[in-house]
Amino acid sequence: MAVVLPSESSTVGIVGRGFISVLSAKLSAIAGYKTWLLVPPGQRDIIVSLIDDDSLNLELVEATDSDRVDSFVAETDAVIIAVDDDSTMNEGVIEYVLNPATAKNLKRVVAMSRNLNGANMGFFVKASKISANGEVWDNSKADDYKKFEDVIKKQASAVGGEYTIVRAGTLKGGACGEDPLFPQYLASKFYEMTKKEGVKLAKGDVLPGPGNKAIFTATASNACPGDSGRCNVAEALVRSLSFENTANMDFGVGTEDGREPPSDEEWQTKLESL
């Protein structure tokens, strides 16, 4: 099993949309990877504002600049694919980035998917998405995500690499807090940081949804079933690159009560135990 350890000679590319992709790119650069982020048209200014740190080894690559994209892909050791809303990354984009003709150095593909087992989903969860929080994961696009995972596995194999699937529920939080408390996360002026910084990891597709309490937990800031903290999902996406046992497997990211992010040692213990 191949690992991609943080170093100036290890290149990680981030492909996606929304806060989770930007946060993953920032954390990758902070970890010590040479990092590039594929920038959707018209999004450069907002991404720069969200990262709020021009000292990082992080290149913003315009999606329309195919020659530059190809040159970065050719030297990339790992690709992280993550989309913030409940849609999946376009299959054509995945096949373009994970093309055996150009991605000749790729060792690992890490993709953010969703909890697809259907446990504790149903009417109340769908109602909470409509009435309380449009970002609630209600499993209504499970088939799209199953197809997405199949494409990830197929393309990872085609380029001679391994895959990791990181499963999330309803994404919450992701900002750096006041002062800022945790500057490795996104600029605080865009949205408030939630209070749940604890994390639990579970091997496979086993984490449940919020069940009949969904309407009450949809906007709650404490640890709730069915939730995944953006900070912790992004951390898991990046940190999984350093572990052999996370290759060719999937795991879910849930929440636990806590006021501070897990330490490096705690992350190592959680990931090694999968």
Side-chain angles (χ1 to χ4, degrees):
M1 299 293 183
V3 297
V4 181
L5 298 175
S7 76
E8 292 182 356
S9 62
S10 294
T11 300
V12 174
I14 314 294
V15 179
R17 295 188 299 273
F19 297 130
I20 191 67
S21 61
V22 181
L23 180 52
S24 298
K26 183 174 183 178
L27 289 176
S28 173
I30 289 173
Y33 293 105
K34 180 181 178 182
T35 305
W36 58 271
L37 171 64
L38 195 66
V39 178
Q43 294 297 305
R44 174 177 285 270
D45 288 346
I46 188 69
I47 287 172
V48 169
S49 297
L50 282 168
I51 293 171
D52 198 29
D53 186 345
D54 58 8
S55 68
L56 298 175
N57 188 6
L58 173 57
E59 292 281 343
L60 302 184
V61 182
E62 298 289 344
T64 54
D65 190 345
S66 59
D67 289 342
R68 193 158 184 249
V69 173
D70 289 346
S71 68
F72 273 94
V73 168
E75 64 178 28
T76 295
D77 297 279
V79 169
I80 294 173
I81 299 175
V83 174
D84 209 85
D85 58 28
D86 61 5
S87 66
T88 59
M89 178 54 61
N90 179 275
E91 184 174 344
V93 174
I94 297 171
E95 292 177 342
Y96 183 88
V97 174
L98 305 182
N99 183 345
T102 51
K104 297 181 178 181
N105 195 46
L106 207 60
K107 303 172 183 67
R108 186 77 69 91
V109 180
V110 183
M112 191 200 93
S113 186
R114 298 286 184 160
N115 301 324
L116 304 178
N117 59 73
N120 286 359
M121 292 292 181
F123 171 79
F124 290 103
V125 181
K126 292 183 183 299
S128 71
K129 183 178 181 70
I130 295 171
S131 63
N133 180 0
E135 295 185 358
V136 165
W137 171 247
D138 66 353
N139 211 42
S140 61
K141 296 186 178 180
D143 288 344
D144 292 345
Y145 271 91
K146 290 175 183 177
K147 181 180 178 181
F148 165 73
E149 291 180 16
D150 288 341
V151 173
I152 292 295
K153 294 174 183 178
K154 179 188 72 173
Q155 292 305 121
S157 176
V159 299
E162 297 161 339
Y163 71 87
T164 304
I165 304 293
V166 178
R167 300 189 181 281
T170 298
L171 293 172
K172 292 182 180 178
C176 61
E178 300 174 357
D179 297 332
L181 291 174
F182 308 111
Q184 70 268 37
Y185 301 131
L186 298 181
S188 58
K189 60 185 175 181
F190 287 91
Y191 48 90
E192 292 183 0
M193 172 186 172
T194 70
K195 293 184 173 64
K196 49 179 181 301
E197 290 297 338
V199 60
K200 61 180 177 183
L201 306 182
K203 186 175 181 178
D205 183 12
V206 298
L207 293 179
N212 57 14
K213 295 183 179 179
I215 196 69
F216 304 107
T217 62
T219 58
S221 59
N222 58 308
C224 300
D227 285 355
S228 301
R230 263 189 198 85
C231 297
N232 291 326
V233 172
E235 293 272 17
L237 290 166
V238 174
R239 290 176 183 269
S240 67
L241 293 171
S242 298
F243 293 84
E244 289 186 356
N245 66 304
T246 58
N248 295 334
M249 61 93 73
D250 63 306
F251 65 92
V253 179
T255 58
E256 290 182 340
D257 288 325
R259 285 296 295 140
E260 294 187 359
S263 65
D264 290 340
E265 292 75 16
E266 289 169 331
W267 270 111
Q268 180 172 346
T269 298
K270 290 175 183 293
L271 286 163
E272 285 180 341
S273 67
L274 290 171

